[in-house]
Every structure is written in C-alpha cells, then in structure tokens.
Amino acid sequence: QVQLVESGGGLVQPGGSLRLTCVASGTITARNYMAWYRQVPGKERERVAHISSADTKIYGAAVKGRFTISRGSTRNTIVLQMDNLKPEDTANYLCNVRQWHDDVPSDIWGQGTQVTVSS
C-alpha cells in the first residue's frame, strides 16, 4: 500500500519562495506519474505539475516559469520548488501518484500541505 506524506507548506510573503516535498512509501509500479495538485475551497482541484516515470515534466499554465518539479534523493520523492509566489497561489497542495496495474490506473493522494501567500 503506497502512502504519501507532504511537507514544506507555510506562510510566505508575495514574491517569496517555498519548497514542498512529497515522499511515497511502498512500491510504485514502473509505469506511473507523480504530481502536485492544489485545492481551494469552492473551486475545482487544479493540477500544478507532474513528472512521469520517464521524467517528463508538465506544468499548469498558472505556474509555468515560476514552479519547478523534480525528483528528490530517491525516485519515490518529488520536490516542488515554488518561486515568485503570488496570493493566488494560496491553496492546499496535494501530492498524487497515478500508477497502472495491467493497464488499469489508480490514484493515491496525500493529506496535503497548506500554502498561504500573504503580506
């Protein structure tokens, strides 16, 4: 059973930076991607960035050029470096793993870490 634990959220001023980390415990299938989403109450969950098992990276339009997703010290760890943060980046950031078993996808979610951008 894969479990995800996020860390690194907090309060930051506009223009500041934060670094989020997600660690996946357990065994993830070879075909997978790991991603960061964000959720604001009353709004749809938004995909921020994802990294595939082949290390292809995709970013949402709202964060492209400001956020960077990468692998951590192990392949089961991903990092989201967030620079030039804006108040509209305020949200609960959730780590996600999508993996495939016999071509059937399944999603695993972390609890999330709150990011607040405010002066």
Side-chain angles (χ1 to χ4, degrees):
Q1 181 80 11
V2 176
Q3 292 186 319
L4 304 176
V5 177
E6 304 101 330
S7 61
L11 172 65
V12 65
Q13 291 188 342
S17 298
L18 280 175
R19 185 178 175 90
L20 306 183
T21 300
C22 172
V23 180
S25 61
T27 301
I28 301 176
T29 59
R31 183 185 171 195
N32 71 81
Y33 71 67
M34 297 184 73
W36 286 98
Y37 284 74
R38 63 189 182 186
Q39 178 91 62
V40 176
K43 293 190 176 182
E44 281 193 21
R45 189 170 288 182
E46 176 189 8
R47 189 170 67 179
V48 175
H50 90 238
I51 183 166
S52 74
S53 48
D55 288 343
T56 299
K57 302 171 186 180
I58 303 287
Y59 296 93
V63 307
K64 200 168 186 179
R66 299 188 297 122
F67 292 10
T68 304
I69 191 169
S70 61
R71 298 278 179 187
S73 54
T74 72
R75 289 196 62 79
N76 281 12
T77 301
I78 58 170
V79 174
L80 185 69
Q81 176 66 39
M82 305 186 295
D83 297 316
N84 190 22
L85 282 158
K86 303 176 181 180
E88 53 264 41
D89 294 318
T90 296
N92 190 36
Y93 283 70
L94 302 113
C95 184
N96 163 261
V97 170
R98 171 163 286 188
Q99 54 183 347
W100 281 261
H101 298 273
D102 297 326
D103 292 328
V104 177
S106 64
D107 284 303
I108 300 162
W109 295 91
Q111 297 282 344
T113 183
Q114 179 67 32
V115 170
T116 302
V117 185
S118 174
S119 54

